[in-house]
């Protein structure tokens, strides 16, 4: 072992971590727990491995308050950090779930330990509660770049009217319970914010409690806006969305997951004039993309409009003022001439991803797309091709693989089945699982 440089061992350990997290099931907590569990046995192998693995072991700390054993493990972690202060400088990510900071002695002790972790860059809290006064203490962490609050109750006594996070670049907030919980927000000053992800309740103005103006950002700095609906609000949000877009007028990327937003929403021409990327329903594309320099379009057809809009594909993919470079369409009603429309109206495409509703498995690559590097074609049932009386699935795939090489000369990656993909090197194509 002495002959192997320490840098090589660290690369091996990081590979083990990445492989474990790649196959982890569940959400963020399960992902990070898998990474920690993968290197924990290595720390018990020998002193050298214990020393080398400590930065990997303490890079992310997970605090889980869902059960007694989990709380005891969290208590041991707090004691370890307090007993060995040098470990605190290794922590860059914190994951917390189901911890009530405002109503327990453990929560108060945990909070005091966490705000002393001045090297953290990523704070993620799900469920439980933390007062805005407690949350504002993380202003003392000078490197904090990302904060995610999912169904977190921010209520508490003597909460400040304003909390400032000058280093924060990414902020995501999904409010706890009912809209009334947003009344405890005060104002968050986020001068360095580049990405804002919020729930649509902040657009409703419901009971005068939900207001997107609690998030104060610099419009010259903010580049990406994401608005999602986690709870099915009955209130309208069109007016609130337009007002938010006026405040965030210089964003380059907009993602909308708003089931209740009507397709008739009107966006003034001088709002978000520099938008380059849009992700949202197909019936919203024209409203948000028309006349804007959209280069990246990710859209999907909903069940209610899929057949009504089956002839609108040409207008959707050329709604912007410049040709698309990246196009992803989900649940598109596929017809024999759809690929021809895409090739004709998107000659600059670099990547194309399609998941289609189609009655046959027609796919023609006989339209020149010189810049296309990556292409994915899947059906709602999974693979694009299936066995039929004329030819087998593999025969159909092989014909398209050859055709793509002939007409899409720059293609490097092709997927026609969820379980494997094709890569091109020179005149040869190879199939890989994954």
């Amino acid at each position: 072992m002495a002959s192997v440089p320490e840098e090589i061992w660290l690369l091996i350990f990081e590979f083990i971590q990445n492989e474990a997290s790649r196959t982890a099931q569940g959400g963020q907590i399960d992902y990070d727990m898998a990474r920690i569990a993968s290197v924990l046995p290595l720390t018990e192998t020998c002193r050298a491995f214990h020393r080398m693995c400590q930065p990997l072991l303490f890079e992310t700390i997970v605090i889980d308050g869902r059960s007694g054993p989990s709380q005891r493990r969290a208590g041991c972690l707090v004691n370890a950090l307090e007993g060995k202060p040098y470990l605190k400088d290794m922590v860059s990510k914190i994951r917390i779930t189901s911890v009530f900071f405002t109503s327990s002695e453990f929560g108060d002790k945990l909070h005091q330990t966490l705000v002393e972790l001045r090297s953290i860059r990523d704070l993620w809290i799900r469920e439980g509660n933390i007062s805005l006064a407690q949350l504002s203490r993380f202003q003392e962490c000078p490197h904090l770049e990302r904060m995610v609050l999912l169904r977190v109750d921010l209520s508490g006594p003597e909460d400040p009217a304003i909390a400032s996070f000058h280093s924060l670049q990414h902020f995501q907030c999904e409010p706890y319970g009912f809209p009334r919980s947003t009344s405890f927000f005060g104002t968050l000053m986020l001068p360095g914010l580049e990405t804002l992800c919020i729930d649509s309740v902040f657009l409703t103005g419901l009971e005068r409690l939900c207001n997107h103006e609690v998030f104060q950002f610099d419009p010259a700095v903010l580049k990406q806006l994401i608005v999602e609906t986690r709870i099915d609000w009955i209130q309208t949000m069109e007016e609130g969305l337009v007002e938010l877009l006026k405040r965030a007028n210089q964003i380059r990327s907009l993602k909308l997951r708003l089931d209740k937003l009507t397709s008739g929403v009107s966006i003034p021409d001088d709002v978000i004039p520099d938008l380059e990327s849009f992700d949202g329903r197909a019936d919203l594309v024209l409203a948000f993309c028309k006349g804007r320099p959209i280069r990246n379009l990710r859209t999907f057809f909903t069940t209610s409009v899929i057949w009504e809009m089956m002839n609108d594909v040409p207008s959707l993919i050329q709604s912007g003022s410049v040709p698309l470079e990246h196009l992803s369409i989900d649940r598109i009603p596929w017809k024999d001439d759809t690929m021809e429309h895409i090739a004709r109206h998107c000659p600059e495409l670099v990547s194309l991803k399609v998941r289609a509703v189609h009655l046959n498995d027609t796919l023609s690559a006989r339209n020149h797309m010189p810049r296309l590097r990556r292409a994915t074609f899947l059906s709602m049932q999974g693979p694009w091709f299936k066995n039929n009386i004329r030819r087998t699935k593999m025969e159909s795939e092989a014909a398209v693989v050859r055709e793509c090489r002939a007409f899409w000369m720059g293609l490097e990656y092709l997927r026609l089945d969820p379980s494997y993909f094709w890569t091109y090197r020179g005149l040869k194509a190879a199939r890989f699982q994954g």
Side-chain angles (χ1 to χ4, degrees):
M1 188 182 78
S3 62
V4 179
E6 189 168 307
E7 292 80 3
I8 301 299
W9 282 117
L10 287 173
L11 289 174
I12 294 172
F13 298 156
E14 289 175 2
F15 176 80
I16 293 172
Q17 270 197 323
N18 293 334
E19 283 298 298
S21 59
R22 187 175 64 85
T23 58
Q25 300 294 318
Q28 185 71 62
I29 290 289
D30 302 284
Y31 170 88
D32 289 307
M33 288 296 289
R35 289 179 62 85
I36 295 171
S38 66
V39 297
L40 188 59
L42 295 171
T43 65
E44 302 169 350
T45 303
C46 63
R47 291 182 179 180
F49 279 11
H50 182 273
R51 176 181 54 79
M52 284 188 279
C53 287
Q54 275 199 332
L56 299 177
L57 194 61
F58 285 91
E59 175 190 25
T60 303
I61 62 173
V62 177
I63 310 294
D64 189 347
R66 288 177 290 185
S67 66
S70 296
Q71 292 179 12
R72 287 191 289 274
R73 284 194 295 270
C76 292
L77 176 60
V78 169
N79 292 334
L81 292 172
E82 292 298 331
K84 299 179 180 179
Y86 68 89
L87 295 176
K88 294 181 179 181
D89 293 333
M90 299 180 184
V91 180
S92 64
K93 301 175 185 177
I94 301 175
R95 308 289 184 240
I96 304 170
T97 184
S98 303
V99 172
F100 295 87
F101 287 93
T102 63
S103 57
S104 69
E105 182 179 345
F106 169 72
D108 187 60
K109 181 181 179 181
L110 173 62
H111 174 260
Q112 184 59 41
T113 300
L114 295 181
V115 296
E116 293 175 358
L117 303 177
R118 302 303 168 83
S119 60
I120 64 169
R121 298 180 180 275
D122 188 340
L123 175 63
W124 185 95
I125 307 177
R126 182 183 68 188
E127 299 173 345
N129 68 6
I130 184 170
S131 70
L132 190 58
Q134 290 174 319
L135 187 67
S136 65
R137 286 285 309 279
F138 286 98
Q139 298 174 92
E140 301 168 16
C141 303
H143 306 294
L144 186 61
E145 299 174 349
R146 181 175 183 264
M147 182 185 297
V148 176
L149 305 176
L150 304 178
R151 302 181 298 281
V152 176
D153 184 0
L154 293 177
S155 60
E158 301 179 2
D159 279 332
I162 298 177
S164 300
F165 294 92
H166 292 278
S167 62
L168 210 61
Q169 298 176 14
H170 177 107
F171 182 72
Q172 179 179 351
C173 181
E174 179 186 331
Y176 166 82
F178 295 100
R180 190 172 300 278
S181 64
T182 63
S183 63
F184 300 104
F185 262 78
T187 299
L188 298 182
M189 305 299 295
L190 309 166
L193 196 68
E194 298 178 3
T195 299
L196 176 62
C197 178
I198 60 174
D199 189 274
S200 61
V201 67
F202 290 101
L203 307 179
T204 63
L206 185 64
E207 301 180 24
R208 298 184 179 180
L209 299 177
C210 307
N211 193 330
H212 55 81
E213 292 188 2
V214 298
F215 309 111
Q216 289 294 313
F217 50 81
D218 184 346
V221 177
L222 189 71
K223 300 305 178 188
Q224 182 178 32
L225 177 63
I226 303 170
V227 185
E228 302 174 316
T229 296
R230 296 296 182 180
I231 300 176
D232 194 10
W233 312 109
I234 61 174
Q235 288 74 20
T236 60
M237 60 192 72
E238 285 82 353
E239 182 178 350
L241 178 59
V242 173
E243 291 302 314
L244 176 57
L245 292 177
K246 288 180 179 179
R247 292 179 55 220
N249 198 38
Q250 299 182 47
I251 58 171
R252 302 297 178 89
S253 175
L254 176 62
K255 178 179 179 179
L256 300 177
R257 286 292 183 267
L258 305 174
D259 295 338
K260 295 296 183 180
L261 186 64
T262 61
S263 57
V265 61
S266 178
I267 306 298
D269 292 340
D270 60 345
V271 172
I272 52 174
D274 301 320
L275 193 69
E276 298 177 350
S277 176
F278 179 75
D279 183 340
R281 296 189 336 240
D283 56 320
L284 298 176
V285 169
L286 291 178
F288 289 90
C289 299
K290 189 174 182 180
R292 296 176 175 88
I294 302 295
R295 300 184 184 278
N296 186 344
L297 176 61
R298 183 182 181 91
T299 188
F300 58 96
F301 289 77
T302 60
T303 304
S304 59
V305 301
I306 190 169
W307 299 118
E308 296 175 16
M309 297 187 64
M310 65 183 304
N311 295 319
D312 292 344
V313 173
S315 60
L316 293 182
I317 61 179
Q318 58 177 337
S319 56
S321 59
V322 297
L324 289 174
E325 295 180 1
H326 305 279
L327 174 61
S328 174
I329 308 183
D330 197 14
R331 295 180 58 86
I332 178 176
W334 193 263
K335 299 192 298 181
D336 290 348
D337 59 355
T338 302
M339 191 64 236
E340 181 183 350
H341 284 310
I342 293 175
R344 184 192 314 150
H345 297 300
C346 306
E348 301 296 315
L349 273 188
V350 176
S351 67
L352 172 62
K353 186 175 182 179
V354 171
R355 197 165 72 111
V357 177
H358 59 93
L359 301 179
N360 57 58
D361 52 12
T362 301
L363 178 59
S364 174
R366 293 180 176 274
N367 303 97
H368 287 283
M369 301 180 73
R371 297 191 60 201
L372 193 65
R373 297 291 181 268
R374 298 175 64 88
T376 296
F377 298 93
L378 299 175
S379 75
M380 295 298 295
Q381 291 73 39
W384 186 272
F385 293 105
K386 53 186 178 293
N387 294 322
N388 57 49
I389 59 175
R390 292 174 297 169
R391 56 170 54 175
T392 67
K393 174 177 179 291
M394 290 307 299
E395 288 174 335
S396 300
E397 280 194 8
V400 170
V401 170
R402 291 192 299 269
E403 195 174 83
C404 287
R405 168 49 65 209
F407 289 87
W408 301 344
M409 298 296 294
L411 197 66
E412 300 169 355
Y413 171 100
L414 175 66
R415 182 181 290 276
L416 300 168
D417 189 286
S419 60
Y420 58 85
F421 59 92
W422 299 82
T423 63
Y424 294 87
R425 288 192 177 183
L427 298 177
K428 295 183 178 181
R431 196 178 85 170
F432 296 90
Q433 294 297 121

